[in-house]
Amino acid sequence: MKGVVVKSTGSWYDVRTEQNELIKCRLKGIFRLDESKEKDSNPVAVGDRVSIHKADSDDGWMIAAIEERENYIVRSSPKHKGARQIIAANLDQCMLIVTMANPRTSTGFIDRFLMTAEAYHIPAILVFNKQDMLDAKTKRKQDMVSQIYANIGYPTLFVSALNHENIAAVQEAIRHKTTLVSGHSGVGKSTLMNAIQPGLNLKTLEISKFSGKGMHTTTFAEMHALDIGGSIIDTPGIREFGIMDFKPEEISHYFIEFRDLIPQCKFNNCLHENEPGCAVKKAYQEGRISEERFVNYLNIMLDYKANYKHWDK
Ligand SMILES: Nc1nc2c(ncn2[C@@H]2O[C@H](COP(=O)(O)OP(=O)(O)OP(=O)(O)O)[C@@H](O)[C@H]2O)c(=O)[nH]1
Ligand SMILES: [Mg+2]
Ligand SMILES: [Zn+2]
């Protein structure tokens, strides 16, 4: 029987079959990992299309095979340094939920997320949540930040998940698609999904217990079908978006507004740091690339050099 993995706890997997039945499955024995997946800390991820069968013994249902993924998005595993964790597979797009306060999402975090999405060719949408909580100063900050991303072509939406404000715009952006929802703990991912899909009733942090800090209320990624068509994947909040699998010279290509400038740099291995004749740096100096983006790019390069041994420049 065939189905899609809608939840994975590491020890068992919920698979929704083509007949729309939910079956708990386990992974067959020592699941053979092929070379490319060797570094993955989880061999099966939410969104994976799988074949399942009922074992002869009373072992119950087993995942027998995984179909090749159309795409997937990974981050460095928080538990195993150097390993990758596949967050989800077979996605149409991802949606990053950000908040300017309670908790604050930095542009550094946003840029790491966006560059990862670009690297895996997954379109990204930014949703600024908790509009009901913004004071005038934070609102101005939000205008500044959101403008950076709108200017370079990322869709930006402004909502209050708690008050159900502007939820129709989110529904419009996700209908008939498979959308991964990500962001720091406490930004309101699960609250937003409950607003998008009536009756979903995902666990969220009680508002009276919310201190401005995330509490990791959602602990496993889970895919939910939408009445409007498509599905949405709730994920546990992430603190850091470790970058992996990239070569240093690739990173600038995942900053979408840098892309067209890169061929104009004097050196074809330009990393846009301090090289002469750098078209990216020139664009930044002339105000065509935002300071936030350029500085975040340089910080990612610094981080990369400090943390990745295969750096050989
Ligand atoms: N004021 C306000 N509070 C919100 C809004 N959206 C969510 N919250 C509150 O923020 C807290 C965290 O919301 P959750 O939906 O649990 O956050 P999450 O992103 O799913 O967090 P994790 O599951 O820990 O990753 C809860 O107390 C929500 O009620 C909003 O639009 N406005
Ligand atoms: Mg949650
Ligand atoms: Zn350059």
Side-chain angles (χ1 to χ4, degrees), residues 129-130 132-133 160-162 184-191 204-207 210 216-218 236-237:
N129 189 28
K130 306 201 183 186
D132 58 293
M133 289 184 89
S160 171
L162 194 68
H184 288 317
S185 179
V187 294
K189 298 179 291 298
S190 302
T191 307
T204 62
L205 190 68
E206 229 177 275
I207 190 101
F210 183 66
H216 294 280
T217 309
T218 304

Side-chain angles (χ1 to χ4, degrees), residues 233-251:
I233 303 170
D234 192 12
T235 61
I238 50 177
R239 191 150 56 164
E240 275 294 332
F241 215 89
I243 42 166
M244 297 193 69
D245 288 352
F246 307 128
K247 295 198 187 84
E249 60 273 18
E250 283 173 356
I251 292 177

